Amino acid sequence: MKLETLAVHAGHAPDASTGAVIPPITLSTTFAREPDGSTPHGWVYTRYANPNRDSLERCLATLEGGAACAVFASGSAATMTVLQSLSPGDHVIVAEDAYFGTLRLASELFARWGLAVSLVRTSDPDAVAAAFTARTRLVWLETPSNPLLHITDLAAVAELARRHGAWTAVDNSWATPVLQRPLELGCDLVMHATTKYLGGHSDTLGGAIVAREENELFQRIRSTQMHGGAVQSPFDCWLVLRGIRTLPYRMRGHCANARAVAEYLGRHKRVAAVHYPGLPGHPGHALAAAQMSDFGGMLSIQVRGGRDAALRAKSRVELFTRATSLGGPESLVEHRHSVEGAGSRAPEDLLRLSIGLEHPDDLIADLERALAD
Ligand SMILES: *Cc1c(COP(=O)(O)O)cnc(C)c1O
């Protein structure tokens, strides 16, 4: 079946006890046993497994074409669980432009655990090839990346990693399984901040790891989830599963609007650069066109006049909301350099836009006002 159909149906079935078409939220933390100690429905305790979590995990595994999925209380908890599944002394190659929180986790928290981390420009496969050591166990990728939307060749890097006996994990939060299918390109794990497009309504925090095979790595991830306990609540699982039902249609709107806004900004005299892989001038355009089915809803611009000009434009928007995050129906604008603070790699004249589902004419009118003299 096609993705639109799977998004509506995967993980869903009318509730066996009531016929409810929409699943109930099972808040119970514990489940009754028979006199002989058996658990007739298979449920024991909600940290181990819960009906709402199970539905969401089945849905996400189906959408990504994976064998198994584990969901977490946040995207960062999902990332942390992958890193926790490695051992002290293991070496990890991490995309230098991965999500800021991922870089913090890998190079601050896990450095203290004895994980060796190399930050690499993964859009250059030669740089990745040069970074492997005898202890490399994992390559962590993110494409398109934040905030300059660099594109990494997933099939090429997955092949390199396989030759070095390392796993490949991809943060697919920006592209979603609608636009990009890392497991089909040979990657081992897909990570999601379901907080973003999958939940899709800026009202729930969550994370997921989907595995191509239920291998040793995934078994460690599952065990860390169950025993470490960074699980997603039944209500949050329910919200993400609900959000996913409209994901393919929402992504069409995000992509069409972002393309319209990017083309408009590309012609604007106050905009020095537009970073959007859908524009033919973007350095990753050809690769993105080959590896993604569309270019997504995120873009960044560099405003002529530097930091002050960028902050001024940001202060003048009326329809865009000044806030961090992405993937909701409302458009957001953010000055990444001030949000990330010391150590930020974001240029000071850069604004990142999460293009929502408003009409593109209204978004363009708001940017026209914000960028005017
Ligand atoms: C938001 C985000 C995360 C982290 O997710 P949280 O749910 O905030 O922990 C990780 N990666 C990307 C690409 C993100 O946008």
Side-chain angles (χ1 to χ4, degrees), residues 146-202:
N146 175 40
L148 292 174
L149 294 107
H150 291 138
I151 305 294
T152 290
D153 186 333
L154 292 177
V157 174
E159 175 56 29
L160 272 175
R162 194 168 30 253
R163 271 194 259 135
H164 286 86
W167 291 300
T168 311
V170 183
D171 183 336
N172 206 28
S173 304
W174 280 28
T176 83
V178 179
L179 307 183
Q180 179 166 273
R181 322 216 16 107
L183 303 183
E184 289 170 7
L185 297 171
C187 301
D188 299 288
L189 295 182
V190 164
M191 172 267 172
H192 278 289
T194 58
T195 311
K196 311 295 169 53
Y197 289 106
L198 297 181
H201 295 78
S202 313

Side-chain angles (χ1 to χ4, degrees), residues 112-339:
R112 281 193 271 115
W113 284 46
L115 215 59
V117 175
S118 299
L119 301 183
V120 173
R121 191 181 182 98
T122 56
S123 54
D124 175 5
D126 293 338
V128 181
F132 285 95
T133 74
R135 301 293 310 261
T136 306
R137 301 292 282 148
L138 180 73
V139 181
W140 184 278
L141 302 173
E142 187 175 322
T143 179
S145 72
N146 175 40
L148 292 174
L149 294 107
H150 291 138
I151 305 294
T152 290
D153 186 333
L154 292 177
V157 174
E159 175 56 29
L160 272 175
R162 194 168 30 253
R163 271 194 259 135
H164 286 86
W167 291 300
T168 311
V170 183
D171 183 336
N172 206 28
S173 304
W174 280 28
T176 83
V178 179
L179 307 183
Q180 179 166 273
R181 322 216 16 107
L183 303 183
E184 289 170 7
L185 297 171
C187 301
D188 299 288
L189 295 182
V190 164
M191 172 267 172
H192 278 289
T194 58
T195 311
K196 311 295 169 53
Y197 289 106
L198 297 181
H201 295 78
S202 313
D203 56 8
T204 180
L205 208 60
I209 300 295
V210 185
R212 189 155 50 92
E213 290 167 19
E214 230 174 316
N215 58 12
E216 179 199 347
L217 177 63
F218 186 77
Q219 282 159 12
R220 284 191 229 158
I221 289 167
R222 175 68 85 197
S223 157
T224 307
Q225 177 204 36
M226 287 170 64
H227 304 300
V231 294
Q232 195 170 23
S233 79
F235 181 50
D236 289 298
C237 292
W238 187 92
L239 282 173
V240 174
L241 190 68
R242 180 172 74 161
I244 287 172
R245 304 191 95 187
T246 54
L247 175 71
Y249 290 90
R250 286 188 284 106
M251 290 315 291
R252 283 179 207 175
H254 286 295
C255 292
N257 287 357
R259 182 178 304 109
V261 170
E263 284 170 359
Y264 159 76
L265 290 169
R267 294 188 299 268
H268 202 290
K269 65 179 194 308
R270 295 205 176 277
V271 176
V274 180
H275 304 283
Y276 183 64
L279 295 179
H282 185 279
H285 175 69
L287 179 56
Q291 148 176 303
M292 302 173 72
S293 61
D294 206 336
F295 303 101
M298 295 298 296
L299 60 99
S300 293
I301 59 171
Q302 289 179 263
V303 182
R304 260 187 231 292
R307 178 187 176 92
D308 290 346
L311 291 175
R312 177 169 176 271
K314 186 192 70 149
S315 74
R316 293 168 75 186
V317 293
E318 291 170 17
L319 181 56
F320 277 80
T321 302
R322 287 174 290 274
T324 194
S325 200
L326 57 119
E330 63 289 313
S331 292
L332 305 178
V333 58
E334 156 174 68
H335 185 246
R336 283 304 293 174
H337 194 274
S338 9
V339 169

